[in-house]
RNA sequence: CGGGAUGUAGCUUAGUCCGGUUAAAGUGCGCGUCUGGGGGGCGCGAGAUCGGAGGUUCGAAUCCUCUCAUCCCGACCA
């Protein structure tokens, strides 16, 4: 086990925190609830961004940027929306500081009070729809498919690095459509994009579904989500996509003339994923030896560590390593040759293992003599001596293998920890154990809340393409048409 | 905002109950040296006005008062 890292089995949340801090991904800042994302962590986020951005563009979206500050009056235009966010908004009330008269520093200048307070965006629906009103007049202006990469602020009481922070980074897509069906199609399409990203790139299996009314986004008619299962048996919502109906169009008076010249409100969607995905990535794959990053998101996929006793050996190894590095780079593989003389090989091994680099190559004098390298893979911790012959091709294939192995492992874990409850007693013990639990539910918010009260478990989603099966609610015994997915959640 | 706790070196902490030389350790940092195939050994060194203010005392990290800050548990949550 890695030094200074808690074991998952003993203290899961300590383990998570240790990984984030010791793998140098992020740290708490002096600003309560806010984090500093360090270079190692930000590099992974950039890989995620790059891929998602490409997928958004491939599905016809364009990036734009809207203001950080939202006039208070905008936020209050959609009733359900403001209700959902009111309790966690940061508010700007003044625009100037001045020197304190007693010389103790600066104070807020009471003369610089804003006419109307500005809200630091918790999400941007309102300010964006205020613009859309000006942009949309005709069916020819539709669909409008916009995404923005931004930071948002939600004043959380209890925060955890990446999983819940007061300020976080995300993307938010906001689209406008001429028809209801098209908007629903868009929300579903983006959910598919998220699911594909999660499974193909993060190697994290997810369940696609819709939220119950209780769990729905403030202002949405339907909230779609992808839910993932973490190693401690708790669920994590990894992405959401909302069908907003005409709620925002009505609140901001966004109408368009259709082909017949008749005015109608436009139909809307919004969808987002955040730096919370970093938390999901960490908790899906990592082990008691540290972080594990799937190759497709690893900023460094291969690291080469030289082992030597003198300058002569170092020079010979460096020449070989540089050559190998070029060959790997030619195949689009990101490589780091760690030629620092300030750290020893053993130290470097531990370091890269902890930081989750998928493949490590060690080259020493013995290897050079035999035309071999020592190859260690992070996912299985296996080490083997392999010939330099065709090494780049072997590594290329191995990276693909590691990627698929991580997904398979996570998928197996998810399957092994998915259960079906037959009655409430059964349900309680399954939930206590952790994992996804399918159970019949009578469809009422009241029952949902009572179950939450008794067990702390919530309905994560009603899976898409769910099997219809008649049954009776585990709590009330009332008729139910299908089982829904319960779990304790982050 | 209710309940509980803690502030001592960059970090983690001991010392506080029961006041007494120059405030201790691990880790990290710097230098030297032996080293180098899994976080290495040895030696030397820098680094703390003990959260802040006031008080009690011959003497305060330690006792008292006030103050500031942070953390944990609850209500809320991408």
């Amino acid at each position: 086990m890695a030094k200074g890292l808690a074991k998952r089995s003993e203290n899961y949340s300590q383990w998570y925190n240790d990984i984030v801090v010791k793998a140098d991904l992020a740290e708490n800042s002096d600003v309560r609830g806010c984090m500093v994302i360090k270079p190692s962590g930000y590099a992974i986020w950039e890989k995620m961004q790059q891929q998602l951005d490409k997928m958004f563009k491939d599905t016809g979206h364009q990036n734009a940027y809207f203001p950080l500050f939202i006039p208070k009056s905008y936020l209050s235009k959609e009733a359900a929306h403001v209700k959902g966010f009111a309790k966690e908004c940061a508010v700007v009330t003044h625009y100037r500081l001045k020197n304190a008269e007693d010389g103790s520093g600066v104070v807020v200048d009471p003369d610089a009070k804003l006419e109307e307070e500005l809200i630091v965006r918790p999400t941007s629906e309102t300010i964006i729809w205020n613009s859309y009103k000006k942009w949309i007049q005709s069916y020819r202006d539709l669909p409008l498919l916009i995404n923005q990469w931004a930071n948002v602020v939600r004043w959380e009481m209890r925060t955890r690095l990446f999983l819940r922070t007061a300020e976080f980074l995300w993307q938010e897509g906001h689209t406008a459509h001429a028809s209801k069906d098209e908007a629903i199609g868009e929300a579903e399409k983006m959910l598919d994009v998220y699911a594909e990203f999660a499974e193909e790139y993060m190697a994290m299996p997810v369940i696609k579904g819709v939220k119950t009314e209780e769990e729905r986004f403030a202002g949405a008619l339907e909230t779609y989500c992808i839910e993932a299962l973490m190693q401690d048996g708790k669920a994590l919502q990894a992405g959401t996509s909302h069908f907003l109906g005409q709620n925002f169009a009505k609140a901001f008076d966004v109408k368009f003339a259709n082909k017949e010249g008749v005015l109608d409100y436009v139909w809307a969607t919004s969808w987002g994923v955040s730096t919370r995905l970093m938390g999901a990535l960490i908790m899906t794959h990592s082990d008691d030896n540290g972080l594990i990053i799937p190759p497709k998101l690893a900023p460094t996929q291969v690291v080469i560590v030289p082992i030597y006793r003198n300058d002569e050996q170092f020079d010979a190894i460096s020449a070989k390593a540089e050559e190998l590095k070029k060959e790997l780079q030619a195949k689009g593989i990101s490589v780091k040759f760690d030629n620092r003389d300030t750290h020893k090989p053993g130290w470097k091994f531990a370091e890269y293992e902890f930081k989750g680099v998928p493949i490590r190559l060690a080259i020493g004098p013995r290897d050079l003599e035999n035309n071999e390298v020592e190859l260690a893979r992070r996912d299985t911790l296996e080490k083997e001596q392999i010939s330099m012959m065709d090494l780049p091709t072997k590594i290329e294939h191995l990276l693909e293998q590691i990627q698929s192995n991580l997904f398979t492992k996570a998928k197996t874990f998810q399957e092994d920890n998915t259960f079906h409850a037959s009655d409430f007693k059964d349900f309680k013990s399954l939930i206590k154990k952790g994992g996804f639990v399918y159970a019949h539910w009578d469809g009422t918010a009241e029952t949902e809340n009572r179950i939450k009260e008794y067990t702390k478990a919530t309905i994560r989603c009603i899976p898409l393409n769910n099997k219809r099966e008649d049954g009776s609610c585990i709590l009330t015994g009332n008729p139910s048409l299908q089982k829904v997915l319960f779990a304790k959640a982050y």
Side-chain angles (χ1 to χ4, degrees), chain A residues 234-250:
Chain A
K234 284 168 81 175
L236 185 112
Q237 178 175 304
T240 51
S241 172
H242 315 290
F243 168 57
L244 302 171
Q246 294 175 310
N247 288 351
F248 286 91
K250 285 176 180 163

Side-chain angles (χ1 to χ4, degrees), chain A residues 399-423:
Chain A
L399 286 169
E400 286 164 17
Q401 268 177 47
I402 292 173
Q403 181 80 29
S404 73
N405 176 49
L406 287 173
F407 178 79
T408 306
K409 217 159 124 186
K411 182 82 179 167
T412 304
F413 176 84
Q414 192 200 71
E415 284 164 359
D416 290 348
N417 289 279
T418 298
F419 311 102
H420 291 259
S422 49
D423 55 41

Side-chain angles (χ1 to χ4, degrees), chain A residues 320-352:
Chain A
K320 191 74 198 173
E322 293 290 359
E323 181 191 325
L324 186 56
K325 181 176 165 182
K326 281 206 186 76
E327 288 172 11
L328 288 167
Q329 282 173 333
K331 286 184 170 292
I333 296 167
S334 55
V335 192
K336 174 175 173 178
F337 172 42
D338 189 348
N339 59 5
R340 289 177 301 173
D341 193 35
T342 50
H343 296 277
K344 307 204 171 89
W347 192 93
K348 293 176 183 176
F349 290 176
E351 174 84 351
Y352 291 114

Side-chain angles (χ1 to χ4, degrees), chain A residues 243-287:
Chain A
F243 168 57
L244 302 171
Q246 294 175 310
N247 288 351
F248 286 91
K250 285 176 180 163
F252 288 87
D253 194 34
V254 186
K255 290 181 200 162
F256 74 106
N258 65 18
K259 283 178 186 169
E260 287 75 43
V262 179
L263 283 179
D264 192 11
Y265 291 110
V266 302
W267 298 83
T269 80
S270 69
W271 27 274
V273 294
S274 70
T275 34
R276 180 179 239 201
L277 288 180
M278 292 286 294
L281 187 76
I282 295 161
M283 288 197 290
T284 299
H285 303 299
S286 303
D287 62 18

Side-chain angles (χ1 to χ4, degrees), chain A residues 440-444 447 469-483:
Chain A
H440 278 289
W441 164 61
D442 65 15
T444 67
T447 302
E469 47 176 322
D470 288 332
S472 50
C473 175
I474 45 159
L475 188 70
T476 61
N478 291 334
S480 154
L481 297 173
Q482 60 183 333
K483 285 180 178 171

Side-chain angles (χ1 to χ4, degrees), chain A residues 4 11 52 55 92 109 136 185 225 227 239 261 271 288 290 292 308 335 458-459 465 479 482-483:
Chain A
N11 190 342
L52 284 164
M55 294 169 91
V92 180
D109 185 344
I136 298 168
C225 62
E227 294 284 329
W271 27 274
D288 288 349
I292 295 180
Y308 55 94
V335 192
T458 50
I459 299 177
N465 310 319
Q482 60 183 333
K483 285 180 178 171

